[in-house]
Amino acid sequence: MVRRIASLAVPLKLLLFLAGILLATMALAFIGYGRIKNEEWIAEKNYESAKTNLKNSVMETFKKEEEKLVERVKIFVGNEDFLQDSLPAGIISLYVFEDGTLRYPKLNEENTDEIYLLEKKEALALKEFLDLQKAKMFAEAGEYALQRVDSFLQSPSLVHLDWNGYFFEKMLNDILSGENLSKAEREKFWKKLSETERLLQNLNTYREHRDFLLAFGNYASYSNERYFFIKNKSDFFLVISYLDIALKNAIIAKVDSAYYTKKNSELIKETAKEWSYIPYFLSGEYPFGQWEILIDEDKASVRKESKKWINFLYLILVFSLIIPVIGVVVVYRGFSQERLLRFMKDNFLSTISHELKTPLTSIKMYSELMNSGRMNKPEKIVSHTGVILKETSRLESLIDAILNYTRMESGKQVFRWETLNLSDCANKVCDSLDVIAKSKGLEIKMEIEENLNITGDYSSIYSLIQNLVDNAIKYTAEGHVVVRLQAVSQGISLSVEDTGKGIPASEQKNIFEGFYRVGDESTRETKGSGLGLAIVKRTADAHKASIVLKSSPGKGSTFTVVFKS
């Protein structure tokens, strides 16, 4: 049937109509594509200007942040009490030079040969403090700590710097951890600890970068550059020429690179939002070394400038292609469906007419013979009434099949659910059809496990098995039919296997459709309404069972229905 429908010619008017839709679609797609390319050309033309603006804005933002940093340092140093204040954010240590000479911090660089030699008296100083703490002489311990720290702050030295750092921070932290301090005393010690930590940081940086600091402190005191950044080892320093304030001619500050990398990255990200469609990255020793902003030249970036508008145009273009194509498919499928329905109706009427006419002809003929009064022999009367009853049963079965199929299709079939013995049901079907099989010289082989139960409607399950076995007998000329029932991992498997002519692969997908029969020859050779397998499929679906067909021409067919446990 499928091959017959496929071979039917599509009317010329339909072809012209579909061709007109496709031509209009192509024209619209061409115009839309041209519009999109024009938008992309405009975006690409403005791209170079946008890249320049992005670079300039980023550099301007970074320059402003540098200026702010310089002003904060200058204001900090310009404060007369800056020695007691905390360093500006992002500054690790700071040095002030006058005429090339280090003025802050004031270092006592005598005995530099003994920087790392710890004297006994230094260790005893810590012991003296700990003894006071142990004796709970907290006031005396505090005074002792302040005396030692103030002495160091007034005359800092690189000698025993690591020990002094540990010693002073140990004393001050121990005092601050005590609970016997007043609020004023606690603030005093916190301030002293902060001042000490700042000085220690300055001294540590100075010890590590001493030659560098002295060289550039001398250079900056006489330089005309307002400020510049320079790297020594792995650290960055801000060097400021400070000629406008007496006695503070130059400042060198060690900058916290991690702090400003994060801060400046956030500022640059905010600045670049206007050009978010342009991918960029920072290259070099960012943020205070030699670095630059580089642009990814991928052409896709150009399209992102007008992303919304271009995407909208592409969406229109896609719809302009898809909708007409869908329309063409719908029209063609509707036309094909109409022809299919017409063909199925004609085939159904032809099949039903044949199936009804044959038994009715026999019934009419034998009824007329009996009505004529020429039937005197009892055995003839019994024979003729037997034929009439047989053909009447055939008509009744056909009508029941049509009614059952109609009820299943409309969802009005009423099932009586019960626990039934599927083994007994299969045995009864095989016994009832064994006479028909033997009349054709066929053998029904039964491989049925006993006492396999399912929940279902008995009459529907009986009809399902009967249709499968009956079809196997009808379409098998010689050989045998195997009915196999067994428990499997998925549930209970019922399979009906025959040695008949088989079903071509091209027609297997249609055999469960109502009134469908395989091939014209088979339709003429074998009686049937084309409803048997349709009823089998819908019964299996109602019982949530799966059905699988394995068949190839000349090798028979196997129908397998698996009922879930």
Side-chain angles (χ1 to χ4, degrees):
M1 183 181 72
V2 174
R3 289 195 297 270
R4 183 186 301 175
I5 293 175
S7 65
L8 295 175
V10 180
L12 181 61
K13 288 183 179 180
L14 178 62
L15 287 176
L16 292 175
F17 172 71
L18 299 181
I21 292 177
L22 291 176
L23 286 174
T25 300
M26 292 176 64
L28 180 59
F30 179 79
I31 294 172
Y33 184 73
R35 176 63 175 158
I36 292 173
K37 297 305 292 183
N38 184 61
E39 288 293 327
E40 290 183 348
W41 178 81
I42 293 173
E44 188 169 355
K45 185 178 179 181
N46 296 329
Y47 187 57
E48 291 301 321
S49 174
K51 288 196 300 182
T52 302
N53 291 338
L54 171 61
K55 289 182 177 180
N56 291 341
S57 296
V58 168
M59 297 306 294
E60 183 180 350
T61 298
F62 187 77
K63 192 68 176 177
K64 287 180 179 178
E65 192 59 29
E66 282 187 350
E67 293 286 350
K68 288 180 182 178
L69 173 59
V70 172
E71 287 303 314
R72 283 199 298 270
V73 172
K74 291 173 69 175
I75 292 172
F76 174 77
V77 176
N79 183 0
E80 292 298 333
D81 296 327
F82 81 94
L83 295 178
Q84 284 76 39
D85 294 339
S86 298
L87 291 173
I91 299 298
I92 296 176
S93 52
L94 184 141
Y95 308 89
V96 179
F97 290 84
E98 176 191 346
D99 296 329
T101 302
L102 180 64
R103 294 304 181 197
Y104 173 79
K106 294 181 179 180
L107 288 177
N108 179 8
E109 295 200 57
E110 297 178 1
N111 301 319
T112 53
D113 294 335
E114 300 176 3
I115 286 179
Y116 301 103
L117 298 176
L118 181 62
E119 296 180 4
K120 184 177 181 181
K121 64 178 182 179
E122 302 294 337
L124 292 175
L126 176 59
K127 183 178 182 302
E128 184 176 352
F129 171 77
L130 294 176
D131 288 341
L132 291 173
Q133 288 279 87
K134 187 176 181 180
K136 297 185 179 182
M137 300 172 67
F138 300 114
E140 290 79 357
E143 288 298 326
Y144 179 79
L146 287 177
Q147 178 185 355
R148 299 289 302 198
V149 169
D150 285 339
S151 175
F152 177 73
L153 292 176
Q154 291 171 9
S155 181
S157 172
L158 298 181
V159 176
H160 310 151
L161 181 59
D162 294 331
W163 167 258
N164 285 334
Y166 168 75
F167 177 36
F168 298 138
E169 290 181 353
K170 166 70 175 172
M171 288 193 299
L172 293 174
N173 283 317
D174 282 358
I175 292 169
L176 286 169
S177 64
E179 300 179 357
N180 56 336
L181 290 178
S182 65
K183 183 178 180 181
E185 287 176 327
R186 190 172 297 277
E187 287 180 358
K188 180 177 67 174
F189 278 102
W190 269 119
K191 187 175 181 181
K192 193 63 67 174
L193 177 61
S194 176
E195 186 179 351
T196 303
E197 287 177 340
R198 182 165 55 117
L199 178 59
L200 289 170
Q201 179 62 57
N202 279 337
L203 295 178
N204 277 308
T205 302
Y206 182 82
R207 182 174 62 180
E208 183 180 358
H209 301 276
R210 182 177 181 278
D211 294 339
F212 163 79
L213 290 171
L214 293 177
F216 274 89
N218 183 61
Y219 167 78
S221 297
Y222 304 99
S223 172
N224 291 326
E225 294 181 79
R226 283 187 59 241
Y227 70 89
F228 58 88
F229 290 91
I230 189 168
K231 184 178 182 182
N232 185 52
K233 298 181 181 179
S234 60
D235 298 322
F236 281 99
F237 291 84
L238 169 62
V239 181
I240 305 174
S241 295
Y242 210 175
L243 302 177
D244 53 332
I245 298 180
L247 302 180
K248 297 176 183 177
N249 305 106
I251 302 170
I252 300 180
K254 180 181 175 182
V255 184
D256 187 344
S257 297
Y259 172 85
Y260 278 102
T261 296
K262 181 179 179 181
K263 182 177 181 181
N264 289 351
S265 295
E266 292 174 353
L267 290 172
I268 291 173
K269 185 178 180 181
E270 185 67 26
T271 301
K273 275 186 178 179
E274 184 179 349
W275 300 276
S276 58
Y277 56 89
I278 300 179
Y280 69 91
F281 59 94
L282 304 177
S283 175
E285 292 186 317
Y286 177 80
F288 298 117
Q290 295 296 320
W291 64 276
E292 60 180 333
I293 180 169
L294 299 180
I295 307 297
D296 187 351
E297 298 299 339
D298 183 4
K299 291 300 180 182
S301 301
V302 179
R303 300 187 181 97
K304 291 179 183 178
E305 179 185 14
S306 52
K307 181 178 179 181
K308 290 183 180 179
W309 173 240
I310 291 177
N311 284 349
F312 178 70
L313 292 178
Y314 271 121
L315 189 63
I316 292 177
L317 178 61
V318 169
F319 271 105
S320 69
L321 292 171
I322 291 178
I323 292 177
V325 171
I326 292 175
V328 169
V329 172
V330 169
V331 170
Y332 182 78
R333 285 177 63 87
F335 175 77
S336 300
Q337 186 69 16
E338 182 182 353
R339 294 178 68 84
L340 175 62
L341 291 173
R342 188 184 301 120
F343 178 80
M344 290 182 68
K345 183 182 78 172
D346 294 342
N347 184 59
F348 170 69
L349 292 175
S350 174
T351 301
I352 294 301
S353 298
H354 174 76
E355 292 295 318
L356 291 174
K357 187 176 181 181
T358 301
L360 284 174
T361 300
S362 298
I363 292 171
K364 181 180 179 182
M365 182 180 70
Y366 286 108
S367 297
E368 287 175 349
L369 284 173
M370 295 175 65
N371 191 51
S372 65
R374 290 179 291 178
M375 289 295 220
N376 297 321
K377 297 181 178 181
E379 61 271 17
K380 287 287 186 181
I381 294 174
V382 171
S383 175
H384 291 349
T385 54
V387 172
I388 292 172
L389 287 172
K390 179 181 177 182
E391 296 300 327
T392 302
S393 297
R394 181 179 168 188
L395 279 174
E396 186 179 21
S397 297
L398 176 62
I399 293 170
D400 285 343
I402 294 172
L403 291 175
N404 283 338
Y405 178 76
T406 304
R407 282 194 292 267
M408 288 182 178
E409 283 292 285
S410 62
K412 295 180 180 178
Q413 178 73 15
V414 178
F415 295 100
R416 295 179 58 189
W417 300 100
E418 58 181 328
T419 300
L420 58 93
N421 191 319
L422 192 58
S423 303
D424 289 345
C425 184
N427 281 320
K428 288 180 182 179
V429 172
C430 293
D431 291 341
S432 67
L433 295 175
D434 188 55
V435 176
I436 300 174
K438 287 181 177 178
S439 68
K440 291 187 65 177
L442 303 176
E443 178 188 2
I444 298 180
K445 297 181 179 181
M446 295 184 290
E447 299 176 6
I448 299 174
E449 294 183 13
E450 295 299 322
N451 299 320
L452 296 179
N453 298 325
I454 64 168
T455 301
D457 179 75
Y458 184 87
S459 61
S460 298
I461 296 298
Y462 187 95
S463 175
L464 179 148
I465 301 173
Q466 185 181 47
N467 278 315
L468 289 177
V469 179
D470 185 53
N471 271 4
I473 295 170
K474 282 181 182 178
Y475 293 99
T476 302
E478 58 182 16
H480 58 267
V481 174
V482 180
V483 179
R484 187 176 292 108
L485 184 67
Q486 59 187 346
V488 294
S489 59
Q490 298 92 340
I492 298 175
S493 171
L494 168 71
S495 63
V496 178
E497 178 185 343
D498 62 59
T499 56
K501 62 184 67 178
I503 303 170
S506 60
E507 300 201 54
Q508 290 181 16
K509 63 181 180 180
N510 299 310
I511 61 171
F512 293 108
E513 298 296 329
F515 310 109
Y516 182 82
R517 306 194 65 197
V518 179
D520 293 333
E521 267 188 49
S522 299
T523 303
R524 287 196 296 269
E525 289 176 358
T526 309
K527 295 179 181 180
S529 62
L531 291 174
L533 290 178
I535 291 174
V536 167
K537 179 68 168 66
R538 283 150 184 79
T539 301
D541 290 344
H543 288 76
K544 293 182 172 51
S546 61
I547 181 166
V548 177
L549 165 63
K550 291 183 180 179
S551 181
S552 45
K555 295 183 179 180
S557 304
T558 302
F559 289 85
T560 303
V561 181
V562 178
F563 298 91
K564 294 181 179 179
S565 300

